[in-house]
Each structure stands twice: as structure tokens, then as C-alpha cells.
Amino acid sequence: MSKRLTLVLGGARAGKSTYAQRLAEQAERVLFVATAEALDEDMTARIRAHQESRPPEWDTLEEPLEIVQSMKPLLSSYDTVLLDCLTLWVSNLLLRDMDCDVPSRVEDLLRLYRQQDASWIVVSNEVGLGIVAPTKLGRVYADELGRVNQMIAAEADEVIFMAAGLPLTLKSGHPAD
């Protein structure tokens, strides 16, 4: 199978992670890159549920901020990378530094994808369907994540939008797309 970049987008609880995992289960050697941090009991429980849902033979890299640097030395051992998720990665970056140059971090991520042979499945929330956030941080976050999603989608071979557990293909990698 040839190298592919797949972006799986959708709202909260839309089935993004489940769908992305089903795609990755077709691979032989999977690196699961988790960006969530267990900052409270609810997130601890969510992380535990995600961990338990993954096949035991997958390797996991838990990295909330420096995903490019952490992934780089590992990638030659895998044919598929499942990154779950950009949403929390961008949130983590902005919570540490609201002036973070998020687009340059995403360019670094895309450069890493281009430089190696593994297929990637990337999960992210679509934040452009809701209300405008009432706080500056919320608006900056929505703007940055929207830009990030557009950057990844532009490079992706396939973009899937999830709603109610159902996949809708937005981009299929065909020349007419």
C-alpha cells in the first residue's frame, strides 16, 4: 500500500477516533501518537478508555507538545502513524504560549511526514461549525485550529468528516478533487 495522509475531522463525540483506529488496524506496525494530558479526573478516564480501545500490539507515544521531535527518531519502525489529536496539541501549545507560531509547528509536522515512508492518519476537531468564542483565548484557538486543519487538509490525500459516527468523504485523492 502506498503512503497516504488521511485527515479525520468532526465534532466532539462524532466517532473520529474510532474511525481512525479502524483505518489503522489495516496496518502492520502502528505508532499511536497521543497528545492528551490527564489534567483532571475526567481526562484521566477518557485517556484510559482510549488506551483500552487500542490493539495491544500498537506502540504509543504520549507527547502533548513536542510531537515532531519525539516522533522523528521512531518513524522508521512503523508503516502507519495515528496522531490523535491535533485539537489537543494546538490547545496545549496555546495554553503554554498564546503567541506560539502554530503554523510553523504544523509545517514542521508536514515536513516530517514528507521525509519518511509511513502513512499517517490524523484526527482533529472541526471548530468552525459552532458559535464564536466569547474569550480572546477561545477565538485565537478556533482561528489557529481552523488554519491547522486547512494546512493538513491541503496536503492530505483523503479528508473524512465524521458526523454521528458516519464518515463523509470530503477529499478522496482523485485528480478531480
Side-chain angles (χ1 to χ4, degrees), residues 10 35 85-95 97-98 100 102 123-128 131 133 135-149:
T35 61
C85 69
L86 291 178
T87 312
L88 290 173
W89 181 51
V90 171
S91 173
N92 295 339
L93 291 171
L94 291 174
L95 286 172
D97 177 9
M98 204 158 101
C100 176
V102 175
V123 177
S124 188
N125 281 49
E126 175 54 62
V127 295
I131 61 170
T135 65
K136 180 179 180 185
L137 177 58
R139 290 186 297 274
V140 168
Y141 172 72
D143 291 347
E144 290 297 334
L145 187 58
R147 279 190 274 280
V148 167
N149 288 343

Side-chain angles (χ1 to χ4, degrees), residues 85-168:
C85 69
L86 291 178
T87 312
L88 290 173
W89 181 51
V90 171
S91 173
N92 295 339
L93 291 171
L94 291 174
L95 286 172
R96 296 226 179 18
D97 177 9
M98 204 158 101
D99 295 321
C100 176
D101 185 357
V102 175
S104 73
R105 302 287 291 261
V106 175
E107 272 304 324
D108 291 342
L109 184 67
L110 288 169
R111 191 173 306 108
L112 181 62
Y113 167 74
R114 291 181 207 116
Q115 292 171 348
Q116 49 75 57
D117 296 326
S119 289
W120 285 21
I121 303 162
V122 179
V123 177
S124 188
N125 281 49
E126 175 54 62
V127 295
L129 300 175
I131 61 170
V132 175
T135 65
K136 180 179 180 185
L137 177 58
R139 290 186 297 274
V140 168
Y141 172 72
D143 291 347
E144 290 297 334
L145 187 58
R147 279 190 274 280
V148 167
N149 288 343
Q150 289 179 51
M151 291 171 73
I152 300 294
E155 181 117 358
D157 300 292
E158 182 176 38
V159 178
I160 303 295
F161 183 80
M162 298 297 299
L166 301 173
L168 172 65

Side-chain angles (χ1 to χ4, degrees), residues 14-59:
K16 300 177 302 296
S17 295
T18 301
Y19 184 82
Q21 282 187 212
R22 281 200 312 260
L23 290 177
E25 286 172 354
Q26 300 170 28
E28 291 181 30
R29 297 168 294 133
V30 177
L31 175 63
F32 187 96
V33 180
T35 61
E37 291 183 284
L39 300 176
D40 60 32
E41 288 182 28
D42 178 60
M43 276 307 284
T44 299
R46 287 173 183 258
I47 290 169
R48 189 176 314 112
H50 271 267
Q51 289 167 336
E52 291 170 358
S53 74
R54 292 194 290 268
E57 63 273 11
W58 288 5
D59 291 333

